[in-house]
Each structure stands twice: as C-alpha cells, then as structure tokens.
Amino acid sequence: MDNNKTIDRVLEFAAKFQANIYLDSISKGLMGTLPITMIGSIALLLAVLPIEPWTNFIASIGVTPYLLAASTVTTSCLSIYAAFLIGYRLAHHLQVDEIPGGLISLFAFFIATPLTEGALTMSYMGAQGLFTALIASLLATRIYAALMKCDALKIKMPPSVPGMIAATFSTMIPAILVGLIFIAIAVIFSYTPWGSFAEMIYSIVATPLMNVGGSIWSLVLIVLVQMILWFFGIHGSLVVGTVVSAVYMPMALENMELYAAGTPASELPHILGNTFYSLYAGIGGAGGTLSLLIVMFLFAKAKQNKELAKLAGIPGLFVINEPIVFGYPLILNPIMAIPFILTPIVQLLIPYFATVMGLIPPLTGVQVPFGLPVVINGFMGGGWTAALMQIIDIAVGCLIWFPFFKISDAQMYKEEMGESMEEIAEEYEEKAQKVQEA
C-alpha cells in the first residue's frame, strides 16, 4: 500500500509539472524556435563544411557572407524569437490576446538588456540573453494578463468600430503600464553593481545553472528521472524537456556562435548541450530502444517479438519508439526495467568521456531536427565522429539489452509453444471425434 501511495505521488507530481502553464510556455516557446534554428544550423553547415573545393566555390561566388549572416540573424538572435514566442504561449494560457502578449514580452526583453553607447548589446540577443528572455517574458505577460482583467483599464470603443481596432485599443493601457514598469526596472538596475536586469539574471541565475548543468552527473540525473517516469507510463521526455532546453540550449548556441566565428571544434568550451542530449541520451528514442530492436530482430524466438521487430524497426531508425515502448511493453515491465533505464545513461557517458579524453571533438552546437534517421542526425550534429560514436553506443546498448531480452523472449516462447501444443491437442480431439461419429 505504501509503495502504491509513493508511486501515486510521483505520478501526480509529474503530471502537475507537465501541466504547469509557465513551464509549458517555455517548452513550447523554445520548441517554436526550431524552424529558425534549423535555418541557421543548415546555413552554418554549408558555410563551414570541411570540404575545401566546396568552401572555395561558395567563397568565389560570394555566398559565404550570406550563409554566415543567416546564422547570425537566427541562432545568434535566438533570444529575440524566444521572448516573443514564450509571451505568446503564456498569453494563450492566460486567455488574453496572444500577439500583444508576445510583443510586450519582446519589449520587456529588449529594455531589460544592457545598452552599449545607447544601442542594445548584441551578445545578449543570442545564448547569453536566453534566461533574460525567459524571465522577462513570463513576468511581462503575467502582469499584462492581470491588468487586462481590470475593466477600468480598458478603452471601450463604440459598437460601430471594427473589432480588430476595438481590441487594439482595449490592450493599450495595460500594455503601456507594463512598458512603464519595465522601463522603471531598467532604470533601477542601471544604478546597481550589475548595471542591468539582464546582467543580474546572467550572474545570479544563468551562470550557476549552466555551471551545474555543465556537470555530466547533472545530465545523468535528468535522464534517470526521465526514464523512471517513462517506466511508470509518463512521457518523461516531455517532462524534462523544459529543463534541457533552458539549461543546455545556451551551451550549444555558444559553441555554435564560436564555431561560426572561426573557433576550431576541438577548442569549443562546452561538451554538453541540448544537441549532445538529443544525439546520445537514448539512441532511437528513450531507453536506447534501437539497440533492443536490433537484438530482437537478430535473436528473437517468440513469434510476437519477431513481428514486433519488423513493425517497430523503421520508426525506431527515425527516433520514434512508441511502438516498441508500448508494444513490447516496456512500461511497468520489471524484467526490462534495468536495461530500459541503464542504456541511455551509458550511452551518454561513453561520448562524454571520449570527448574529455580528446578522442572526439565537442559538438558544434548545430541544432538537429527531430525525426532524422539515427547516424544521419549524428553526422549533421557533429560530423563523422558523432556518427561513429552513435554506432558504438548502439553496439554497447545491444550488449546491455541482450541478456534481459533473452530471459523475456524465452518466457514468451514457452508460452507460445504451450498454446501451440494445446491447439494441436484440440485439433486432434476434434478429428478423433469426427472419425468416431463417422
């Protein structure tokens, strides 16, 4: 009974965590930046592709500066896009107009950043300003939504005025008040040792979180929580996705900005990042299930496992593992719990220590879209060394899954054989009965 209560509390906490509107707004807002980051990533790859004839060709026709510019106005300005999208998402949750919510959030982010000779500091438009964008967006949109609930602050237009114009006027006073509040915040912080709200956030919030997140054991803990939640049937990847995006994306983007500026991959400062997590934390999906599918395809005796390997194999290559997770099933399966939880952790540690030892360079931070086939996504995210590391990880995953799968498969095979013998006996009895009747 006590165990059931503990499990219920864990599930309840995870459900509340996943349903939190602020975390959901951050998660979906950052997810919404994916098209922009993909444009920048592809442009950067094309600009610095380590094939000399190619780089000479694009340089000779004058394309290189535009590819690098595409990277600059996307990944190096990611905080701008994130500020708008997070405000937009939170405004939707709070049931106020989304576009004003996004625009006010963007203004709050801009006014919170430090000024350099009267102009915005561009370094805060990218990875360095991402935490400021998150916090400023949430605060500005929350204040705006609270003010919008007050009818006395709304300018009401006559019924003859078009609805779009009337809606714009109704948001005017709340928007102005939010703007004045953040202008006041910016002025107050200009007299502090930090010099700006953004500098304070970067010093007190962003830097400690990135320092803690820079430890491999922090990421291992995140993956452990993720897999425990998966074991109980909760989509753990969604629950921890907000933390991974907020803490690890700035590290990847910083690597990417330095790489675009000419820093060699071997000298990039961060080993970890959201790209590192997406490429190695469970290859083929949570639990490293691509390895399980390979073992299942090669060694399964039970007919149901052979069929499942055929059905789930192609989706597994494209990092879609729900067919194997729920079809095997792995949820609440005590025999498979150890490899299900252990495999993605081992698959993280191998490339991490390989990078620490200098065997492979750090990832450049290029953002890889979800759904690319395994190994191809590794090549895009880190070149042939990352692709090779994924292959090694898959092989190690097969070794982890093999003994546990053999136990489970043998049990299923015995059950199938028992059912087959019963069917043969029933068929024999039916034939014997027909002969006697004849």
Side-chain angles (χ1 to χ4, degrees):
M1 183 65 71
D2 291 338
N3 288 336
N4 290 335
K5 286 183 178 180
T6 302
I7 292 171
D8 290 341
R9 286 173 184 170
V10 170
L11 297 178
E12 183 181 354
F13 172 77
K16 288 181 178 179
F17 186 89
Q18 190 171 344
N20 184 280
I21 61 172
Y22 302 101
L23 296 175
D24 184 72
S25 299
I26 292 173
S27 178
K28 291 181 177 177
L30 292 176
M31 194 181 300
T33 66
L34 183 59
I36 291 296
T37 57
M38 282 308 306
I39 294 171
S41 296
I42 292 171
L44 179 60
L45 281 174
L46 293 175
V48 299
L49 198 66
I51 302 174
E52 190 172 345
W54 167 258
T55 53
N56 291 339
F57 170 70
I58 61 173
S60 66
I61 62 175
V63 173
T64 303
Y66 294 98
L67 292 174
L68 293 175
S71 175
T72 299
V73 300
T74 53
T75 53
S76 296
C77 293
L78 185 68
S79 294
I80 298 174
Y81 304 104
F84 177 84
L85 290 171
I86 292 168
Y88 185 98
R89 288 290 184 179
L90 183 57
H92 175 77
H93 279 300
L94 298 174
Q95 299 180 344
V96 293
D97 290 342
E98 292 95 340
I99 292 178
L103 291 173
I104 291 165
S105 296
L106 185 56
F107 170 82
F109 165 64
F110 280 147
I111 204 68
T113 57
L115 300 176
T116 303
E117 297 180 358
L120 293 173
T121 305
M122 282 305 297
S123 62
Y124 275 90
M125 300 300 104
Q128 190 172 343
L130 190 57
F131 281 94
T132 304
L134 303 184
I135 294 172
S137 300
L138 297 179
L139 285 175
T141 309
R142 192 65 192 85
I143 296 170
Y144 164 70
L147 294 174
M148 283 295 294
K149 303 297 181 183
C150 181
D151 290 335
L153 296 177
K154 294 181 181 179
I155 299 175
K156 297 180 180 179
M157 304 299 289
S160 58
V161 175
M164 183 177 178
I165 297 174
T168 301
F169 272 90
S170 71
T171 64
M172 191 173 295
I173 293 177
I176 291 172
L177 290 175
V178 175
L180 291 174
I181 289 170
F182 273 85
I183 290 172
I185 290 172
V187 171
I188 291 169
F189 273 92
S190 68
Y191 290 99
T192 66
W194 297 292
S196 69
F197 181 77
E199 287 279 7
M200 185 271 291
I201 294 297
Y202 189 74
S203 300
I204 295 180
V205 179
T207 301
L209 278 176
M210 289 174 67
N211 288 339
V212 172
S215 164
I216 183 61
W217 306 115
S218 299
L219 187 56
V220 166
L221 179 61
I222 289 171
V223 173
L224 177 63
V225 171
Q226 170 191 346
M227 295 314 305
I228 290 173
L229 291 173
W230 265 111
F231 177 75
F232 287 112
I234 297 174
H235 201 304
S237 305
L238 291 179
V239 174
V240 305
T242 304
V243 177
V244 171
S245 296
V247 176
Y248 292 95
M249 184 181 283
M251 299 180 193
L253 294 179
E254 187 175 343
N255 274 9
M256 192 172 172
E257 289 172 4
L258 291 171
Y259 188 61
T263 303
S266 59
E267 297 178 13
L268 295 174
H270 302 294
I271 295 177
L272 303 181
N274 67 318
T275 308
F276 186 92
Y277 167 84
S278 64
L279 292 184
Y280 299 125
I283 298 176
T289 47
L290 182 58
S291 297
L292 171 60
L293 284 167
I294 292 171
V295 170
M296 187 179 292
F297 187 81
L298 294 175
F299 301 104
K301 288 186 177 181
K303 184 178 179 180
Q304 56 186 308
N305 287 337
K306 292 178 181 179
E307 294 300 319
L308 181 58
K310 295 175 185 177
L311 292 172
I314 299 301
L317 285 173
F318 288 84
V319 202
I320 299 171
N321 73 335
E322 279 78 4
I324 184 68
V325 169
F326 296 102
Y328 191 74
L330 297 175
I331 305 302
L332 295 175
N333 186 335
I335 296 177
M336 310 302 272
I338 294 174
F340 189 46
I341 296 172
L342 182 63
T343 301
I345 293 175
V346 174
Q347 289 179 335
L348 272 181
L349 293 175
I350 292 173
Y352 176 80
F353 286 112
T355 309
V356 169
M357 291 185 290
L359 300 177
I360 60 173
L363 298 178
T364 59
V366 168
Q367 301 298 294
V368 180
F370 176 81
L372 276 181
V374 173
V375 179
I376 293 176
N377 65 1
F379 182 80
M380 181 176 177
W384 69 268
T385 55
L388 177 61
M389 190 54 60
Q390 283 190 318
I391 294 172
I392 293 171
D393 267 352
I394 292 169
V396 173
C398 290
L399 295 176
I400 296 172
W401 276 107
F402 178 77
F404 297 92
F405 170 73
K406 289 298 290 181
I407 294 171
S408 177
D409 182 63
Q411 183 178 338
M412 293 181 181
Y413 182 69
K414 287 179 181 179
E415 291 174 357
E416 287 181 355
M417 291 302 293
E419 291 175 2
S420 298
M421 292 303 294
E422 289 178 4
E423 290 173 359
I424 293 171
E426 288 176 2
E427 184 178 352
Y428 177 81
E429 289 178 3
E430 288 176 2
K431 289 181 179 179
Q433 188 174 357
K434 287 179 181 178
V435 170
Q436 290 176 358
E437 290 175 354

